[in-house]
Structures are given as structure tokens and as C-alpha cells.
Amino acid sequence: MPLLFVAAGVGAVVLLLYLFAPHIRRYAAGGVCTSKARLDGKTVLITGANTGIGKETAWDLAARGARVILACRSVEKGEEAAAEIRSKVSGAQVEVRELDLADICSIRAFAQRFLKEVNHLHVLINNAGVMMCPYMKTTDGFEMQLGVNHLGHFLLTNLLIGLLKRSAPARIVVVSSLAHNFGWIRFHDLMSLGSYNSGLAYCQSKLANVLFTRELARKLEGSGVTVNSVHPGSVRSELVRHSTMMSLLFTLFSIFLKTPQEGAQTSVDCAPAFVAPQGRNEKTARRLWNISCELLGIEWD
């Protein structure tokens, strides 16, 4: 008898989900950018734009007339994405350049070539990321999630900030996550050498994104370069590939997830959202900024 009740309960839930699926999908999709603004003559750089949110953002901005540069670790996958965008957008100006955010030498080489060949940069979207991977290190010995999600973009932005200022009005968008609410900066063990939890390490890196944005915005006040961090929502993408549990959950609850195109809306045009208290701590933001500069061997006033 108890099993019968359980089966009936499960059946009722499934039926309700089926009946309300269209309404759930509309709610989960979130807002849609309704702006028809053109970006002709503007240059946009997007990291990790060969798949997911990055590719959809690139498609949207290319359709608005922007010159869009895809910075990807895999040039082959980047070219595939660029070809797909060109097939959808007549006359799309899309280029692919190699960038490995887990390698300081690659970031510096990318920036050096970029500054020689590109005269203006109006929008930088720090989109690339890794989520809940097994413990591993970047080429330079940083814990992978903090190294790619925060430090790699920190250095890239530092190297391109002069061009952004000269191209003002310009914008920097840092793709963070709601996960920053569950993170804290472990200054005593930033690289998780003492202990490692892939979920907590991801949350730390996303909080670092928010704090970086906050401090950078303060430093760039009055420069004509604005900085915003965004939460794209829970999106069906390859980001969860390292976590079997997350992949399973995303499959089971796919009805509640955004498509990459829906997730890209916050990178294109977004509304103000809640920021966790630890993401608004100016002291923490400045301390993380200084430590990041030390780790990367750079000076950034």
C-alpha cells in the first residue's frame, strides 16, 4: 500500500510538470533583450565563445553589426562556431584567435598580437570558465577554477585596459554566477592546497569575479569604461561536464534550465540583481586585487 501511494504521488508530480511545462519554461527563460541597438563600427572580444552562452552572445552581437572576435582555447572549435554564426548572419564580421586562460604565456601572447592588430576595443566580455573540475593546476601552478575564471581574466583585462580606455565609451562584462552567494575568499589557502572541494572552489572563483568587477569599476570611475558582472542563470551547457552529479541533475531538471541563447541575454542587456554581502565587501575586494597582482607579477594602480 505505501508503494502505491508513492507511485501515485510521483505520477501526480509528473503529470503536473507536463501540464505546466510551457509556463515553467517561460518563467525559467527569464527576460529577453528587446533593444534594437546597432553596434556597427564597434569591436567586441568574447572569451570562451566557441560554445554555450559565449557563442550565443557572439551571434547576437554580430547580428547587430559588431566586429566580434572569439578568443578560444581550441581554434578548431572556434572556427566551427564562427562558421555557424556566418551561416546565420549575412555579412557577419567574426574572427577567431587562440587564447588559453590557464597559461600566462598564452594570455600575454594573445594580448601582444591583439594590440598590434586591433585599433579599438569597445566591449570585452570575460565569459570563459570551468566548473567543478577535479583538482588540477594551470600551467603556472594556480588551482584551475580560480586560475581560469578569475586570474586569467584579471590578467587579460589588465593587458587590454589601455585600449579599452582609448576606445571609450567602452564596457567590460564579467560573467559570474549566483554561486557567488555560497563562496568566500579563502585567503589562507587560495589555491586549495590544504583541502579541495570542487563546488566550493567554483563558488570562490565566482565570488572573485564579483569582487574584481567591484574594484575595477571603482578604479575606472570617470574613465568612460563601465564594468558589470552578470549572472546568466542556470543554463544547459557544457560547463557541468566535469561533474557527473551536476550533469545528472541538469538532465533531470532540464525543464527549469535556460537555453544558451536565453542565458546570453544578461551579457547582452541585463537588469540589476542581488549581490551577496561578501560580494560587496570593499576591503575584501582590495585585498584580493592586491594578491592577484602579486600572483601574476603585475602592477595595476
Side-chain angles (χ1 to χ4, degrees), residues 17-33:
L17 286 175
Y18 176 80
L19 293 174
F20 288 96
H23 304 286
I24 295 172
R25 277 296 308 125
R26 280 197 294 272
Y27 177 79
V32 175
C33 176

PDB file of all heavy atoms in Angstrom, residues 17-33:
ATOM      1  N   LEU A  17       3.944  18.528 -13.861  1.00  0.00           N
ATOM      2  CA  LEU A  17       5.071  19.099 -14.602  1.00  0.00           C
ATOM      3  C   LEU A  17       4.770  19.142 -16.095  1.00  0.00           C
ATOM      4  O   LEU A  17       5.090  20.104 -16.784  1.00  0.00           O
ATOM      5  CB  LEU A  17       6.344  18.289 -14.352  1.00  0.00           C
ATOM      6  CG  LEU A  17       7.008  18.476 -12.985  1.00  0.00           C
ATOM      7  CD1 LEU A  17       8.191  17.517 -12.838  1.00  0.00           C
ATOM      8  CD2 LEU A  17       7.491  19.920 -12.806  1.00  0.00           C
ATOM      9  N   TYR A  18       4.141  18.085 -16.589  1.00  0.00           N
ATOM     10  CA  TYR A  18       3.790  18.023 -18.001  1.00  0.00           C
ATOM     11  C   TYR A  18       2.766  19.102 -18.358  1.00  0.00           C
ATOM     12  O   TYR A  18       2.900  19.800 -19.369  1.00  0.00           O
ATOM     13  CB  TYR A  18       3.241  16.638 -18.334  1.00  0.00           C
ATOM     14  CG  TYR A  18       2.768  16.510 -19.761  1.00  0.00           C
ATOM     15  CD1 TYR A  18       3.690  16.307 -20.801  1.00  0.00           C
ATOM     16  CD2 TYR A  18       1.411  16.592 -20.075  1.00  0.00           C
ATOM     17  CE1 TYR A  18       3.258  16.200 -22.116  1.00  0.00           C
ATOM     18  CE2 TYR A  18       0.971  16.483 -21.391  1.00  0.00           C
ATOM     19  CZ  TYR A  18       1.898  16.289 -22.412  1.00  0.00           C
ATOM     20  OH  TYR A  18       1.463  16.192 -23.700  1.00  0.00           O
ATOM     21  N   LEU A  19       1.763  19.249 -17.508  1.00  0.00           N
ATOM     22  CA  LEU A  19       0.701  20.216 -17.787  1.00  0.00           C
ATOM     23  C   LEU A  19       1.188  21.659 -17.719  1.00  0.00           C
ATOM     24  O   LEU A  19       0.762  22.514 -18.501  1.00  0.00           O
ATOM     25  CB  LEU A  19      -0.461  20.013 -16.798  1.00  0.00           C
ATOM     26  CG  LEU A  19      -1.244  18.703 -16.936  1.00  0.00           C
ATOM     27  CD1 LEU A  19      -2.258  18.575 -15.800  1.00  0.00           C
ATOM     28  CD2 LEU A  19      -1.961  18.661 -18.289  1.00  0.00           C
ATOM     29  N   PHE A  20       2.091  21.891 -16.758  1.00  0.00           N
ATOM     30  CA  PHE A  20       2.566  23.266 -16.568  1.00  0.00           C
ATOM     31  C   PHE A  20       3.917  23.525 -17.233  1.00  0.00           C
ATOM     32  O   PHE A  20       4.505  24.583 -17.035  1.00  0.00           O
ATOM     33  CB  PHE A  20       2.667  23.580 -15.071  1.00  0.00           C
ATOM     34  CG  PHE A  20       1.333  23.744 -14.396  1.00  0.00           C
ATOM     35  CD1 PHE A  20       0.743  22.672 -13.733  1.00  0.00           C
ATOM     36  CD2 PHE A  20       0.658  24.946 -14.437  1.00  0.00           C
ATOM     37  CE1 PHE A  20      -0.487  22.815 -13.109  1.00  0.00           C
ATOM     38  CE2 PHE A  20      -0.578  25.098 -13.825  1.00  0.00           C
ATOM     39  CZ  PHE A  20      -1.158  24.029 -13.161  1.00  0.00           C
ATOM     40  N   ALA A  21       4.389  22.571 -18.000  1.00  0.00           N
ATOM     41  CA  ALA A  21       5.702  22.700 -18.643  1.00  0.00           C
ATOM     42  C   ALA A  21       5.869  24.006 -19.420  1.00  0.00           C
ATOM     43  O   ALA A  21       6.893  24.694 -19.283  1.00  0.00           O
ATOM     44  CB  ALA A  21       5.967  21.497 -19.544  1.00  0.00           C
ATOM     45  N   PRO A  22       4.900  24.404 -20.252  1.00  0.00           N
ATOM     46  CA  PRO A  22       5.070  25.655 -21.014  1.00  0.00           C
ATOM     47  C   PRO A  22       5.241  26.868 -20.118  1.00  0.00           C
ATOM     48  O   PRO A  22       6.048  27.763 -20.400  1.00  0.00           O
ATOM     49  CB  PRO A  22       3.779  25.747 -21.835  1.00  0.00           C
ATOM     50  CG  PRO A  22       3.296  24.331 -21.932  1.00  0.00           C
ATOM     51  CD  PRO A  22       3.657  23.718 -20.610  1.00  0.00           C
ATOM     52  N   HIS A  23       4.486  26.914 -19.012  1.00  0.00           N
ATOM     53  CA  HIS A  23       4.573  28.040 -18.082  1.00  0.00           C
ATOM     54  C   HIS A  23       5.900  28.031 -17.333  1.00  0.00           C
ATOM     55  O   HIS A  23       6.523  29.080 -17.110  1.00  0.00           O
ATOM     56  CB  HIS A  23       3.406  27.976 -17.082  1.00  0.00           C
ATOM     57  CG  HIS A  23       2.059  27.933 -17.718  1.00  0.00           C
ATOM     58  ND1 HIS A  23       1.476  29.042 -18.300  1.00  0.00           N
ATOM     59  CD2 HIS A  23       1.193  26.907 -17.889  1.00  0.00           C
ATOM     60  CE1 HIS A  23       0.291  28.702 -18.791  1.00  0.00           C
ATOM     61  NE2 HIS A  23       0.097  27.416 -18.550  1.00  0.00           N
ATOM     62  N   ILE A  24       6.357  26.821 -16.949  1.00  0.00           N
ATOM     63  CA  ILE A  24       7.639  26.695 -16.255  1.00  0.00           C
ATOM     64  C   ILE A  24       8.771  27.143 -17.161  1.00  0.00           C
ATOM     65  O   ILE A  24       9.686  27.853 -16.749  1.00  0.00           O
ATOM     66  CB  ILE A  24       7.864  25.235 -15.791  1.00  0.00           C
ATOM     67  CG1 ILE A  24       6.818  24.850 -14.732  1.00  0.00           C
ATOM     68  CG2 ILE A  24       9.274  25.054 -15.229  1.00  0.00           C
ATOM     69  CD1 ILE A  24       6.846  23.380 -14.350  1.00  0.00           C
ATOM     70  N   ARG A  25       8.720  26.737 -18.436  1.00  0.00           N
ATOM     71  CA  ARG A  25       9.760  27.111 -19.375  1.00  0.00           C
ATOM     72  C   ARG A  25       9.818  28.627 -19.570  1.00  0.00           C
ATOM     73  O   ARG A  25      10.891  29.221 -19.623  1.00  0.00           O
ATOM     74  CB  ARG A  25       9.523  26.458 -20.739  1.00  0.00           C
ATOM     75  CG  ARG A  25      10.027  25.049 -20.839  1.00  0.00           C
ATOM     76  CD  ARG A  25      11.543  24.942 -20.701  1.00  0.00           C
ATOM     77  NE  ARG A  25      12.234  25.832 -21.607  1.00  0.00           N
ATOM     78  CZ  ARG A  25      13.119  26.731 -21.213  1.00  0.00           C
ATOM     79  NH1 ARG A  25      13.452  26.851 -19.943  1.00  0.00           N
ATOM     80  NH2 ARG A  25      13.694  27.504 -22.090  1.00  0.00           N
ATOM     81  N   ARG A  26       8.634  29.259 -19.674  1.00  0.00           N
ATOM     82  CA  ARG A  26       8.611  30.713 -19.867  1.00  0.00           C
ATOM     83  C   ARG A  26       9.215  31.423 -18.665  1.00  0.00           C
ATOM     84  O   ARG A  26       9.942  32.405 -18.806  1.00  0.00           O
ATOM     85  CB  ARG A  26       7.173  31.200 -20.120  1.00  0.00           C
ATOM     86  CG  ARG A  26       6.695  30.994 -21.549  1.00  0.00           C
ATOM     87  CD  ARG A  26       5.473  31.832 -21.855  1.00  0.00           C
ATOM     88  NE  ARG A  26       4.323  31.399 -21.069  1.00  0.00           N
ATOM     89  CZ  ARG A  26       3.467  30.456 -21.449  1.00  0.00           C
ATOM     90  NH1 ARG A  26       3.656  29.829 -22.595  1.00  0.00           N
ATOM     91  NH2 ARG A  26       2.440  30.127 -20.703  1.00  0.00           N
ATOM     92  N   TYR A  27       8.903  30.925 -17.461  1.00  0.00           N
ATOM     93  CA  TYR A  27       9.452  31.536 -16.246  1.00  0.00           C
ATOM     94  C   TYR A  27      10.957  31.329 -16.168  1.00  0.00           C
ATOM     95  O   TYR A  27      11.726  32.243 -15.862  1.00  0.00           O
ATOM     96  CB  TYR A  27       8.774  30.943 -15.008  1.00  0.00           C
ATOM     97  CG  TYR A  27       9.337  31.471 -13.708  1.00  0.00           C
ATOM     98  CD1 TYR A  27       8.960  32.720 -13.231  1.00  0.00           C
ATOM     99  CD2 TYR A  27      10.263  30.722 -12.983  1.00  0.00           C
ATOM    100  CE1 TYR A  27       9.478  33.217 -12.050  1.00  0.00           C
ATOM    101  CE2 TYR A  27      10.793  31.211 -11.796  1.00  0.00           C
ATOM    102  CZ  TYR A  27      10.389  32.455 -11.334  1.00  0.00           C
ATOM    103  OH  TYR A  27      10.929  32.945 -10.174  1.00  0.00           O
ATOM    104  N   ALA A  28      11.404  30.096 -16.447  1.00  0.00           N
ATOM    105  CA  ALA A  28      12.823  29.773 -16.362  1.00  0.00           C
ATOM    106  C   ALA A  28      13.650  30.537 -17.387  1.00  0.00           C
ATOM    107  O   ALA A  28      14.828  30.830 -17.167  1.00  0.00           O
ATOM    108  CB  ALA A  28      13.027  28.272 -16.545  1.00  0.00           C
ATOM    109  N   ALA A  29      13.028  30.868 -18.506  1.00  0.00           N
ATOM    110  CA  ALA A  29      13.755  31.556 -19.578  1.00  0.00           C
ATOM    111  C   ALA A  29      14.247  32.928 -19.161  1.00  0.00           C
ATOM    112  O   ALA A  29      15.252  33.418 -19.674  1.00  0.00           O
ATOM    113  CB  ALA A  29      12.860  31.676 -20.814  1.00  0.00           C
ATOM    114  N   GLY A  30      13.539  33.557 -18.234  1.00  0.00           N
ATOM    115  CA  GLY A  30      13.962  34.879 -17.790  1.00  0.00           C
ATOM    116  C   GLY A  30      13.639  35.961 -18.814  1.00  0.00           C
ATOM    117  O   GLY A  30      12.893  35.752 -19.767  1.00  0.00           O
ATOM    118  N   GLY A  31      14.250  37.137 -18.636  1.00  0.00           N
ATOM    119  CA  GLY A  31      13.983  38.260 -19.525  1.00  0.00           C
ATOM    120  C   GLY A  31      14.685  38.113 -20.861  1.00  0.00           C
ATOM    121  O   GLY A  31      15.619  37.341 -21.029  1.00  0.00           O
ATOM    122  N   VAL A  32      14.204  38.879 -21.814  1.00  0.00           N
ATOM    123  CA  VAL A  32      14.774  38.890 -23.152  1.00  0.00           C
ATOM    124  C   VAL A  32      15.142  40.320 -23.511  1.00  0.00           C
ATOM    125  O   VAL A  32      14.378  41.256 -23.242  1.00  0.00           O
ATOM    126  CB  VAL A  32      13.767  38.334 -24.187  1.00  0.00           C
ATOM    127  CG1 VAL A  32      14.340  38.457 -25.596  1.00  0.00           C
ATOM    128  CG2 VAL A  32      13.434  36.885 -23.875  1.00  0.00           C
ATOM    129  N   CYS A  33      16.314  40.490 -24.090  1.00  0.00           N
ATOM    130  CA  CYS A  33      16.740  41.821 -24.512  1.00  0.00           C
ATOM    131  C   CYS A  33      15.867  42.284 -25.668  1.00  0.00           C
ATOM    132  O   CYS A  33      15.803  41.636 -26.718  1.00  0.00           O
ATOM    133  CB  CYS A  33      18.207  41.789 -24.945  1.00  0.00           C
ATOM    134  SG  CYS A  33      18.794  43.368 -25.595  1.00  0.00           S
TER     135      CYS A  33
END
